Amino acid sequence: DTKSMNNFFYHIYRIRQQDSRLTVIDQTLPSRKEIVSQMEQLILLILKSLVNGEDISFRIPTADWGHISIDDNRHYKADEERYVEAKLNVLGSIKNFATVLQVLEMTHELLIQNLHSTKRDLYYTHPSFFKDQNSSDEALVAVASMLKVPRTSLHVVGGHRGCVSGMISFKESGNYIDCSQQGIEGKLISPYMESITDISVEARFCLIVEKDATFVRLNQDGFPKRYQCVMVTGKGYPDVATRLFLKRIQVECKLPMLALVDGDPYGIDILSVYALGSKKMCFDSERMALSNVRFLGILDKDFEKFQIPNSAKIPLTNSDRKRGESILARPAFSQFPEWRRELELMLKRGYKAEIQSLAGNDLQFLSQVYLPAKISEG
């Protein structure tokens, strides 16, 4: 009814007012020319060491949870510069050095020619050289971390996975895209961020949904149009393109970010990737991690409040418990007491619930009851 809708939009207004006070991080990435220059400086250092008879190595930034903290914008950051060295003159390290050098050369060529490649294509360029695709993927991450840029800035992308729908439009390679007209499965998010321009929204907030099935269900119910929102799913753990796209929406369109994930340890871990960043890419969290994400649920109190049936309560597996305990062991996670409490309660009660279980006997319960109530809580 009109009263409940007005209440809903009032709480969204309050969230937007709070978010307007957040510090805005410069999202500008190094240009293609600047990255090429950085690469060539690395090679020149190697050649100089070779001429001078010095040890030759790549110093690859690395991080572990014991040395990751939270910055002023509540994102993961490495406490100190920590490295592993891939050395040319150490027998056990030669292959690692050569793999990183090979990927550095290949990505340099991509940038020089202004071409793009997928991770899979990168591997199949020299399948006999790389032990397996994991080897080339790890070398790609090493090159990106040395240069302190996202993998996409090296013109290497993963497959399409994330999707967007709702009250947002933009141009992609010059073509106009209206995401409100893309059907229930939404629009695939292009990994080529530079091809997306002229983003425009007629939305009040952005809803991040963990699972594709939930994303489709909400689109079927017309949730984005009724509640004036943009909706994005990473279909599980989000890829780099999905995270960069969401960051652009938050920075360029000033939209509050709300998240709906499963009530299990993996759901909270996925939430943390969106909101805090990832361990592997903590050197670049400020460009990809979202600020001030609201965790809508599934929360512990929802089981009683929304009378989630016993049939929807699934016992935690050993894998669930290990993941939950590993998250709690991260020192930086202690700075998020509400999320930590949810995880502790989950491990204590011994069961979890998936978003789909909220439907029960009413397929529209999620879109017409649960989400409006959760958002209106403020």
Side-chain angles (χ1 to χ4, degrees), residues 5-168:
M5 287 293 286
N6 287 340
N7 184 53
F8 175 90
F9 287 129
Y10 170 71
H11 283 288
I12 291 296
Y13 168 77
R14 286 183 58 197
I15 290 172
R16 295 190 73 162
Q17 289 295 102
Q18 293 168 13
D19 282 2
S20 68
R21 296 191 289 270
L22 293 173
T23 302
V24 177
I25 297 295
D26 181 10
Q27 294 302 111
T28 305
L29 290 165
S31 68
R32 182 164 58 93
K33 183 178 179 180
E34 288 170 334
I35 296 172
V36 167
S37 178
Q38 285 181 267
M39 289 176 162
E40 292 171 351
Q41 287 297 318
L42 274 176
I43 299 301
L44 285 173
L45 286 173
I46 289 173
L47 292 175
K48 182 179 178 181
S49 297
L50 188 62
V51 169
N52 294 336
E54 300 168 347
D55 289 345
I56 300 172
S57 66
F58 287 121
R59 298 184 74 216
I60 302 169
T62 185
D64 59 73
W65 290 119
H67 295 87
I68 292 177
S69 62
I70 301 296
D71 66 16
D72 292 341
N73 280 297
R74 295 172 71 77
H75 300 149
Y76 286 145
K77 69 169 184 178
D79 286 338
E80 56 187 85
E81 294 291 318
R82 297 171 64 82
Y83 301 90
V84 292
E85 287 195 301
K87 297 183 178 181
L88 180 60
N89 60 343
V90 175
L91 185 61
S93 185
I94 293 175
K95 180 63 176 179
N96 190 22
F97 177 91
T99 303
V100 173
L101 182 62
Q102 179 67 56
V103 170
L104 180 63
E105 187 275 330
M106 293 166 72
T107 52
H108 178 267
E109 188 66 20
L110 287 173
L111 291 168
I112 289 290
Q113 297 188 35
N114 198 21
L115 299 174
H116 289 79
S117 175
T118 66
K119 291 193 297 180
R120 194 69 175 159
D121 287 340
L122 199 71
Y123 164 67
Y124 274 113
T125 304
H126 296 287
S128 60
F129 175 80
F130 297 117
K131 181 174 63 175
D132 49 36
Q133 187 174 339
N134 188 54
S135 174
S136 60
D137 287 353
E138 288 182 354
L140 182 62
V141 170
V143 172
S145 63
M146 285 192 294
L147 300 173
K148 290 183 168 52
V149 296
R151 183 192 66 222
T152 50
S153 292
L154 303 178
H155 283 204
V156 181
V157 299
H160 286 48
R161 192 164 80 235
C163 289
V164 56
S165 68
M167 314 307 288
I168 182 171

Side-chain angles (χ1 to χ4, degrees), residues 276-287:
L276 313 179
S278 63
K279 180 176 76 170
K280 187 178 288 187
M281 301 191 73
C282 66
F283 65 88
D284 208 28
S285 290
E286 68 179 24
R287 289 198 185 99

